[in-house]
Each structure stands twice: as structure tokens, then as C-alpha cells.
């Protein structure tokens, strides 16, 4: 991995805001010509600083705006159980984020659903069928105050 200079960081900041810019537009914003910007972008991708490009969708327009954070506790912790649980989570489309956490629970899931009834169905038909789960606690999002998709650096 190479050391990032100020231009690399500027490229990353601009791409976080709008990854659909052409190389020429990006070059203008970072005050460099297109060829070195293109080469830097490719290096940033190759070295894993840029993991992927994606569109941020409007969950409400797609009828998936009911957001639940679900703390999950496993029955036991060992390599096989953790591996099984993480494999299962990767296959559940409603779970958009999953974090291994410390404290009273083992994992934090972010789940998108249409409404409370859909979430209840999800609990009965999906979460409730995972054998290694001991318990879970749901927190329902009432309103979104801030949702930044980038990071500050």
C-alpha cells in the first residue's frame, strides 16, 4: 500500500460526494490533468482504498423505509457458530449491515422492511429460524436525523 498524498485524499473526498463524475470532471475539481487522475484512481482501486462504486437509493420510494436495528446474542461463541451465523446473514437481503459488537450482545444488524408487519414476518420466518440465536432486541427508527455515506478524513 502506498502513502496517500493530499491529491489522493482530494480524489477520494470528491468521489465520495459523486462517483459518477468523468475523469475529466474529477481532474478539474482536484486541479490536475486527466491522465494522472485516472492513474491515481486505478491505483486507489487496486490498493483497496476504493472498494466499489454504488448508487444511494431512496428507501422510502422503494417501500423499504422501515428501519430496525436488531441486537443479536448467539447461544454460544465458537469459530463454527460464528462462521455459520455470518454465512446466514450474508444470504439475508433484508439485513443491509452487520457488525460484531462488544457488550451484552454479539452482533448488531441493520434491517430494512416495508412496515411493522413485514418486520414481524421477518422475525418469525427468518430470524426465528436461525438455530444459533439465543435472543435479539429490536430498536425501531422513528426518523433519520443524519445519514452520511462517506467518511471524514
Amino acid at each position: 500500500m502506498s502513502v496517500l498524498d493530499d491529491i489522493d485524499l482530494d480524489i477520494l473526498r470528491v468521489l465520495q460526494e459523486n462517483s459518477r463524475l468523468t475523469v475529466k470532471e474529477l481532474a478539474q475539481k482536484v486541479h490536475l490533468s486527466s491522465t494522472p487522475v485516472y492513474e491515481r484512481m486505478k491505483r486507489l482501486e487496486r490498493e483497496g482504498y476504493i472498494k466499489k462504486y454504488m448508487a444511494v437509493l431512496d428507501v422510502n420510494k422503494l417501500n423499504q423505509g422501515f428501519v430496525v436495528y436488531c441486537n443479536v446474542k448467539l447461544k454460544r461463541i465458537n469459530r463454527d457458530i460464528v462462521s455459520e451465523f455470518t454465512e446466514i446473514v450474508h444470504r439475508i437481503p433484508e439485513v443491509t449491515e452487520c457488525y460484531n459488537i462488544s457488550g451484552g450482545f454479539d452482533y448488531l444488524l441493520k434491517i430494512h422492511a416495508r412496515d411493522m408487519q413485514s418486520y414481524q414476518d421477518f422475525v418469525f420466518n427468518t430470524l426465528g429460524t436461525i438455530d444459533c440465536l439465543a435472543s435479539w432486541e429490536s430498536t425501531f427508527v422513528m426518523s433519520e436525523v443524519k445519514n452520511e455515506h462517506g467518511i471524514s478524513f
Side-chain angles (χ1 to χ4, degrees):
M1 296 277 258
S2 60
V3 176
L4 300 182
D5 63 16
D6 289 341
I7 295 172
D8 292 328
L9 295 174
D10 285 345
I11 289 170
L12 292 174
R13 281 186 196 99
V14 171
L15 287 174
Q16 270 191 146
E17 290 299 316
N18 184 358
S19 64
R20 293 194 64 191
L21 293 175
T22 65
V23 173
K24 182 178 178 181
E25 292 168 329
L26 178 58
Q28 289 172 344
K29 289 189 177 286
V30 299
H31 311 291
L32 205 60
S33 62
S34 295
T35 300
V37 166
Y38 177 79
E39 291 169 358
R40 283 172 179 262
M41 282 179 59
K42 289 302 169 193
R43 179 179 50 80
L44 292 167
E45 291 169 1
R46 193 173 50 252
E47 293 180 359
Y49 290 100
I50 299 172
K51 294 173 87 172
K52 67 179 176 178
Y53 298 92
M54 58 185 276
V56 178
L57 306 178
D58 186 321
V59 295
N60 293 313
K61 288 186 178 191
L62 294 167
N63 202 23
Q64 294 294 307
F66 188 74
V67 179
V68 182
Y69 285 91
C70 185
N71 289 299
V72 170
K73 181 140 187 80
L74 301 181
K75 289 179 183 175
R76 290 187 336 273
I77 298 287
N78 67 41
R79 184 167 312 217
D80 292 337
I81 290 172
V82 166
S83 178
E84 174 191 355
F85 177 72
T86 57
E87 286 175 23
I88 290 169
V89 166
H90 279 284
R91 294 191 307 261
I92 302 173
E94 294 89 348
V95 176
T96 58
E97 297 176 39
C98 176
Y99 302 96
N100 181 216
I101 59 173
S102 65
F105 290 94
D106 301 312
Y107 289 90
L108 174 65
L109 308 178
K110 182 178 182 183
I111 300 162
H112 284 268
R114 283 190 316 278
D115 51 28
M116 181 64 83
Q117 181 63 51
S118 296
Y119 181 68
Q120 184 179 31
D121 292 344
F122 173 80
V123 167
F124 291 153
N125 300 316
T126 303
L127 277 186
T129 65
I130 301 173
D131 288 333
C132 60
L133 291 188
S135 63
W136 58 85
E137 179 180 286
S138 303
T139 302
F140 305 103
V141 174
M142 295 189 323
S143 69
E144 184 175 277
V145 176
K146 181 178 181 180
N147 186 346
E148 295 293 325
H149 298 282
I151 60 169
S152 177
F153 50 91

